[in-house]
């Protein structure tokens, strides 16, 4: 069968990852997994699968260094096919990519609804970062109920978000919940260590918002199963595939 270059890179990367980086195995005895008692019996359906998408919100151009880097790396003509619908081709080796208006966000919501997505996962950034615009525009949109949202919290940014802000997010009707009324909350590892104190802060905010126990998902490429046992993390996943062959 025909295999695209991208598929070949992904397959090769997975093989190398398995060969060179053996993963931490999950507990073989299912009785060792933490028991979650906060779900109300009969309040959810195990057959109701929610499909979400991690957002890449550095399409901000000159508003942030990452935005400028994105424009630079996509400027060579062979990468123009990757430019989002709101991008502008300035020349054969130059593009402009900014989605910083309400109209742009509203169109993104329309596309997401058409595609059948249930929710977006926004990485939370401090207000002065230049990368928080998309979440703010989404929350201001009159179409925000067409797709729900959840947060990805980088450990480096955790200390910058006030507990009251978390409570406000969790209180919104369009915040994605799972297994009943549990707010879905992703954790992205960074320079700071995940601690029970930090998780308890999120639990307290959810409780103050009248929600159930947060459903914590740890985004890590090299295991993390020990956090399930030690801190009560509910699931382990990945943010994205990285480190393709030859650094591509």
């Amino acid at each position: 069968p025909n295999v695209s270059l991208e598929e070949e890179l992904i397959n090769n990367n997975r093989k190398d990852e398995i060969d060179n980086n053996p993963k931490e195995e999950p507990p073989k005895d299912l009785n060792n997994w933490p028991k979650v008692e906060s779900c109300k019996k009969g309040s959810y359906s195990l057959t109701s699968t929610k499909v979400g998408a991690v957002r890449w919100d550095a399409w901000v151009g000159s508003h942030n260094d990452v935005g400028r880097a994105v424009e630079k790396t996509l400027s060579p003509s062979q990468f123009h096919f990757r430019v989002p619908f709101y991008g502008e081709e300035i020349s054969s080796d130059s593009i402009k990519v900014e989605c910083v208006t309400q109209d742009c966000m509203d169109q993104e919501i329309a596309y997401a609804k058409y595609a059948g997505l249930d929710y977006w996962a926004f990485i939370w950034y401090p207000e002065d970062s230049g990368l928080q615009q998309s979440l703010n525009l989404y929350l201001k949109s009159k179409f925000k109920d067409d797709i729900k949202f959840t947060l990805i919290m980088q450990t480096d940014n955790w200390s910058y978000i006030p507990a009251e802000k978390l409570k406000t997010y969790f209180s919104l009707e369009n915040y994605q919940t799972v297994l009943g009324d549990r707010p879905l909350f992703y954790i992205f590892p960074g320079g700071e260590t995940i601690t029970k104190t930090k998780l308890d802060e999120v639990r307290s905010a959810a409780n103050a918002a009248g929600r159930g126990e947060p459903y914590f998902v740890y985004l890590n490429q090299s295991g993390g199963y020990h956090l399930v046992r030690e801190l009560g993390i509910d699931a382990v996943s990945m943010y994205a595939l990285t480190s393709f062959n030859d650094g591509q």
Side-chain angles (χ1 to χ4, degrees), residues 114-187:
Y114 179 80
L117 287 178
D118 293 296
Y119 72 91
W120 275 329
F122 289 86
I123 296 180
W124 186 88
Y125 295 101
E127 286 294 339
D128 60 356
S129 67
L131 296 172
Q132 186 72 351
Q133 298 185 60
S134 291
L135 177 56
N136 292 340
L137 290 170
Y138 162 78
L139 292 173
K140 292 177 182 177
S141 175
K142 61 183 178 182
F143 304 107
K144 63 180 179 292
D145 291 333
D146 288 343
I147 180 171
K148 293 189 175 185
F149 82 105
T150 185
L151 298 179
I152 300 175
M153 182 58 64
Q154 291 179 287
T155 58
D156 293 355
N157 290 330
W158 213 319
S159 58
Y160 295 104
I161 185 168
E164 191 64 29
K165 175 73 78 172
L166 274 178
K167 174 188 172 184
T168 298
Y169 288 137
F170 291 153
S171 299
L172 297 174
E173 288 297 320
N174 56 327
Y175 193 94
Q176 182 64 55
T177 58
V178 297
L179 299 177
D181 198 33
R182 302 183 62 186
L184 181 60
F185 192 84
Y186 291 95
I187 302 168

Side-chain angles (χ1 to χ4, degrees), residues 1-17:
N2 294 328
V3 178
S4 69
L5 175 60
E6 184 176 10
E7 289 172 326
E8 184 177 348
L9 287 171
I10 291 173
N11 290 334
N12 288 340
N13 182 63
R14 285 175 177 161
K15 182 178 184 302
D16 290 343
E17 196 174 74

Side-chain angles (χ1 to χ4, degrees), residues 200-220:
D200 285 345
E201 289 174 1
V202 181
R203 292 184 175 107
S204 295
N207 181 66
R211 298 289 195 177
E213 169 82 2
Y215 190 91
F216 293 110
V217 181
Y218 182 57
L219 301 176
N220 190 26

